[in-house]
Amino acid sequence: MAESLTSRPTLAAADAQQAHAHIDADTNTGISNTKLGMWLFLASECLLFGGLITTYLLYKHPLEGPTPHEIFDIPFTSTSSFVLLMSSLTMVLAVSAIERGEHQRMRVWIGATAVLGATFIAGQIYEFTVFVREGLGFTTSRFSSAFYTLTGFHGIHVTIGIIMLVSLVLLSLRGKIPEHRAETVEIVGLYWHFVDVVWVVIFAVVYLIPS
Amino acid sequence: MTVTSHDNVPTTVLDGAVKDYSRDKVYVMTALFLAVLTLVEIATYAFPDFPVWADELVIPVLMILMAVKFFTIVYVFMHLKFDKPILTKLFYMGLVLAVFVYVAMLSTFRIWFDGKHG
């Protein structure tokens, strides 16, 4: 099917003219199957992390070993949380850049997002190392196993996100992400933002709420 | 210019096609708002005797701050505010189901009461 390139609006152009930001896909819902699939996946992830957070709440009072607030380093974790929060800004700016067709800027923002994510993971590894040295191993108490499982699962999600971000940069460098595929960046962005909102909950429920 | 396949569109053709695009400012302002909320959250730990969140008020205050941050990210950064309503409904289906299931589970384990009520 032949079509004019100039008749294909960028998302930014569509946003300027329409109430809804995104161009309709050729599906019954007007949403691409990939994007719909990602939202379904994220909805199911609510159940996964809900289960892990609930388990932590049930087991947060250890019968043996250190208690949460004896070992948590709140200033350090606050800094990590801030880093992850700011990575959501760089991610959304990357999506915005590719919607405008600014490939170089998109790569810079995605690179920044990956670096911030890696910083968060490095902080988490450091935190785990300190906890183990202070006597809180995975099997030390029911609190420790629930804590490491919850935050560890989140860390794995962040790591997968970093791999996706690096892949996006490599694809972009090979010219595989033109504007009409900006949705690829947006979908990775959805995953990344979800990882961030999960940490928003973990940070408040696990670290900040007093025992 | 006419193309026959999406794959044939050169990646640089539309570079900079829309320059006057100001949603970035909304994103930066949203990030600043989230940063301020995070600072307030940290303040509940640093200054536990502050009247607004002293004693038992700290948990509701933290829950409200958490919810505001959560929905701000979901609506602005994840574009639910700008996107089709069906995506909002889809996400809320999972979220509400998760909340109901796990509140029921926590209630089953009587987490809302201390031991002497059991």
Side-chain angles (χ1 to χ4, degrees):
Chain A
M1 183 182 78
E3 65 182 303
S4 166
L5 178 63
T6 53
S7 69
R8 177 181 292 283
T10 62
L11 293 182
D15 188 32
Q17 297 170 2
Q18 297 179 8
H20 296 300
H22 300 99
I23 300 164
D24 284 358
D26 294 331
T27 61
N28 288 341
T29 57
I31 302 162
S32 77
N33 293 330
T34 322
K35 188 170 177 178
L36 196 62
M38 175 53 84
W39 274 105
L40 270 171
F41 170 70
L42 297 181
S44 70
E45 287 273 278
C46 290
L47 286 156
L48 169 70
F49 279 103
L52 293 172
I53 291 168
T54 303
T55 307
Y56 174 82
L57 289 174
L58 290 171
Y59 287 164
K60 68 185 280 190
H61 301 293
L63 300 175
E64 63 284 318
T67 63
H69 291 88
E70 284 175 357
I71 60 161
F72 285 164
D73 183 351
I74 300 298
F76 180 81
T77 311
S78 300
T79 308
S80 293
S81 302
F82 191 76
V83 166
L84 194 63
L85 192 65
M86 289 303 105
S87 76
S88 263
L89 173 63
T90 54
M91 185 70 236
V92 80
L93 290 176
V95 175
S96 186
I98 189 65
E99 287 176 351
R100 288 195 303 271
E102 296 175 356
H103 292 257
Q104 180 59 30
R105 189 167 290 183
M106 182 270 288
R107 286 192 287 268
V108 169
W109 286 125
I110 287 186
T113 309
V115 168
L116 290 169
T119 306
F120 174 83
I121 289 295
Q124 194 171 44
I125 291 170
Y126 170 77
E127 182 186 46
F128 283 6
T129 307
V130 170
F131 289 172
V132 169
R133 282 184 187 156
E134 291 182 3
L136 191 78
F138 185 80
T139 57
T140 303
S141 65
R142 59 185 194 172
F143 152 69
S144 69
S145 56
F147 169 78
Y148 282 123
T149 304
L150 171 58
T151 53
F153 257 88
H154 179 266
I156 289 168
H157 276 73
V158 176
T159 306
I160 291 169
I162 292 168
I163 293 168
M164 289 198 288
L165 292 171
V166 172
S167 303
L168 275 182
V169 172
L170 295 176
L171 283 171
S172 174
L173 286 170
R174 295 174 62 187
K176 300 279 188 183
I177 308 181
E179 286 71 28
H180 62 268
R181 287 189 177 165
E183 193 180 78
T184 308
V185 182
E186 187 190 355
I187 287 167
V188 172
L190 288 176
Y191 175 85
W192 190 263
H193 297 309
F194 181 77
V195 166
D196 187 24
V197 293
V198 168
W199 187 256
V200 164
V201 177
I202 292 175
F203 181 56
V205 172
V206 174
Y207 289 90
L208 291 179
I209 289 181
S211 297
Chain B
M1 178 179 177
T2 302
V3 293
T4 55
S5 162
H6 290 176
D7 292 329
N8 293 335
V9 178
T11 60
T12 55
V13 167
L14 293 175
D15 274 8
V18 182
K19 291 288 186 189
D20 54 342
Y21 186 50
S22 61
R23 211 200 282 169
D24 286 6
K25 289 177 187 169
V26 174
Y27 296 144
V28 173
M29 295 306 292
T30 303
L32 286 173
F33 174 66
L34 292 168
V36 170
L37 291 185
T38 305
L39 287 174
V40 176
E41 283 183 328
I42 297 166
T44 64
Y45 169 81
F47 309 103
D49 297 326
F50 191 69
V52 175
W53 52 72
D55 303 323
E56 294 179 352
L57 283 177
V58 70
I59 293 178
V61 167
L62 281 171
M63 290 292 99
I64 290 167
L65 289 169
M66 180 193 77
V68 172
K69 284 173 70 179
F70 184 100
F71 289 109
T72 303
I73 293 172
V74 169
Y75 269 90
V76 181
F77 286 171
M78 294 175 82
H79 291 179
L80 277 188
K81 175 180 166 64
F82 313 109
D83 228 319
K84 290 189 176 297
I86 190 174
L87 294 178
T88 306
K89 292 172 187 168
L90 195 68
F91 183 65
Y92 280 166
M93 276 171 55
L95 184 63
V96 170
L97 180 64
V99 169
F100 269 100
V101 166
Y102 295 117
V103 165
M105 182 178 168
L106 289 170
S107 302
T108 305
F109 282 89
R110 292 176 292 188
I111 199 171
W112 319 114
F113 311 103
D114 57 31
K116 60 192 172 197
H117 288 270

